[in-house]
């Protein structure tokens, strides 16, 4: 079998950055350069021309995602220097037929992107019969965030067509290696190369995983374990960004400073500093849970202190959030326990048993339900709704990756405004 190709997908907005990143990716062993759809939307065919001029010896793939006017869009890309043009597999047969005619006329090849196709096997066979040159088993970025896998799609295509199959969608070194073992002839990687601080190094790792694929049995992981692993890898600000600036609790401070907390909420409602329900909830919570206590913002009396914190630590509870006051701060600090509260006060409340455990509560400006995910660090606390936890955790990891590349470019001497092209992207 011919050596699989590594195609780097330049899903960026800015052409000079894209050229610089393409150079680094080629140094690391990428073969084909994809002018990504966001770059085409931002810079137009100028991006395709620039890549052709700068990299004359490489395949230039224009990810046009053609949905209509097949001939016109293929012609544009071909005349700008693309050697491969991407069309949507789901486009009408009339669009595909026109795209194929134009591709033959202008001497380029067509790659059909299976994103969102209902019956990928049947459609791939039809596309092959219509003259498409490559099939792309592609799971899009938003689909990846809800757990869809390009490797599953690739597996469905085994033996379905004779033309080469490309695969794309969140691939890294391990999944690129698995893709090659499942028959992929072209491995397309975007985020895990272009948003790395070390683009050449990341491309190199993927290149060697493709060239020397290893079979490693996939690690079984429960959905909860996956969410926890992902949330532990990101910060509260990463999560807030991933949630479009929603989910942040207000007016809280981290009593022990530099601590991190991730866990599912056990909710508590208490009244007038009554500490019975918060303390009873310690025995309701399991290892890794977070107690979230609503005390209606009361700050002249504390429903929480050192002995409760010690008890939490013994049970492996991940942290506590209180929209009120706490006491015994010096002893709690010595434990370095993740405790988030509004303030400190010496008075304890009375344990009368007012309130309830594990009902929906309002706490620090957020609605919290039992089982929602709570993440806290020195920047504050965010609430992640339980039904979107996996998606938000995945998106937060992407936010972090994007920042890694931006940080590297600032280290190299550019300003944040330059890297982000703030002036260009101000809202008009
Ligand atoms: O076409 C795309 C998105 O529509 C991307 O280029 C493709 O998914 C590869 O990027 P990533 O590796 O980040 O998923």
């Amino acid at each position: 079998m011919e050596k699989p190709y590594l195609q780097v997908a330049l899903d960026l907005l800015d052409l000079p950055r894209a050229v610089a990143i393409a150079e680094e990716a080629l140094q690391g062993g990428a073969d084909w350069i994809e002018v990504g759809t966001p770059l085409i939307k931002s810079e137009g065919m100028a991006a395709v021309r620039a890549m052709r001029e700068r990299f004359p010896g490489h395949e230039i793939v224009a990810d046009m995602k053609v949905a209509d006017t097949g001939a016109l869009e293929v012609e544009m890309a071909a005349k700008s220097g693309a050697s491969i043009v991407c069309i949507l597999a789901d486009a009408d047969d009339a669009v595909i037929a026109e795209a194929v005619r134009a591709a033959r006329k202008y001497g380029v090849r067509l790659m059909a992107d299976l994103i969102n196709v209902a019956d990928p096997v049947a459609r791939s066979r039809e596309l092959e019969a219509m003259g498409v040159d490559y099939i792309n088993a592609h799971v899009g970025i938003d689909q990846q965030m809800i757990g869809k896998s390009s490797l599953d799609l690739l597996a469905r295509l085994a033996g379905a067509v004779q033309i080469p199959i490309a695969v794309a969608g969140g691939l890294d070194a391990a999944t690129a290696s698995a893709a090659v073992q499942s028959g992929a002839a072209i491995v397309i990687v975007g985020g895990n190369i272009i948003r790395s601080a070390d683009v050449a190094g990341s491309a190199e790792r993927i290149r060697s995983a493709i060239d020397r694929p290893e079979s490693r049995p996939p690690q079984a992981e429960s959905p909860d374990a996956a969410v926890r692993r992902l949330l532990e890898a990101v910060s509260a600000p990463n999560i807030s960004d991933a949630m479009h600036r929603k989910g942040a609790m207000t007016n809280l401070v981290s009593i022990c400073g530099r601590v991190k907390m991730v866990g599912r909420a056990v909710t508590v409602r208490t009244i007038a500093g009554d500490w019975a329900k918060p303390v009873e909830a310690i025995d309701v919570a399991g290892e890794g849970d977070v107690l979230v206590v609503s005390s209606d913002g009361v700050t002249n009396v504390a429903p929480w202190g050192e002995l409760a914190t010690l008890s939490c630590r013994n049970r492996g509870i991940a942290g506590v959030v209180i929209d009120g006051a706490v006491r015994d701060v010096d002893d709690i600090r010595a434990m370095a326990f993740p405790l988030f509260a509004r303030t400190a006060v010496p008075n304890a409340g009375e344990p009368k048993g007012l309130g309830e455990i594990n009902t929906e509560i309002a706490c620090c400006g957020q609605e919290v339900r039992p089982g929602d995910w709570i993440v806290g660090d020195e920047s504050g606390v965010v609430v992640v709704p339980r039904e979107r936890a996996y998606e938000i955790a995945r998106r937060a990891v992407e936010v972090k990756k994007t920042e890694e590349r931006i940080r590297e470019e600032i280290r190299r001497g550019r300003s944040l405004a330059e890297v982000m092209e703030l002036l260009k992207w101000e809202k008009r």
Side-chain angles (χ1 to χ4, degrees), residues 151 172-182 205-206 208-220:
L151 290 182
D172 57 15
T175 46
S177 168
V180 169
Q181 292 183 72
S182 302
R205 276 188 290 283
I206 293 172
S208 59
I210 291 174
D211 292 347
R212 288 173 290 283
E214 280 175 32
S215 28
R216 256 184 259 140
Q219 300 290 312

Side-chain angles (χ1 to χ4, degrees), residues 9-11 34 36-38 63 65 113 115 136 138-141 144 168-172 188-195 398:
L10 299 167
D11 293 324
E34 173 190 316
T37 315
D63 189 6
K65 291 195 172 69
D113 182 333
I115 193 167
N136 180 4
H138 179 210
V139 164
I141 292 169
Q144 295 163 33
L171 298 175
D172 57 15
I188 304 174
V189 182
N192 284 319
I193 292 181
I194 64 168
R195 282 183 285 140
E398 297 306 308

Side-chain angles (χ1 to χ4, degrees), residues 107 134 208 223 238 260 265 340:
Y134 308 100
S208 59
N238 294 154
K260 174 90 189 271
F340 296 81

Side-chain angles (χ1 to χ4, degrees), residues 1 16 71 75 77 114 148 177 185 192 267 277 291 325 327 370 385 397 408 419 426:
M1 193 181 98
E75 179 183 348
L114 286 178
K148 294 191 177 171
S177 168
N192 284 319
T267 60
K277 291 295 171 205
L291 293 188
R327 64 181 202 157
V397 170
E408 173 60 19
V419 180
E426 278 177 0

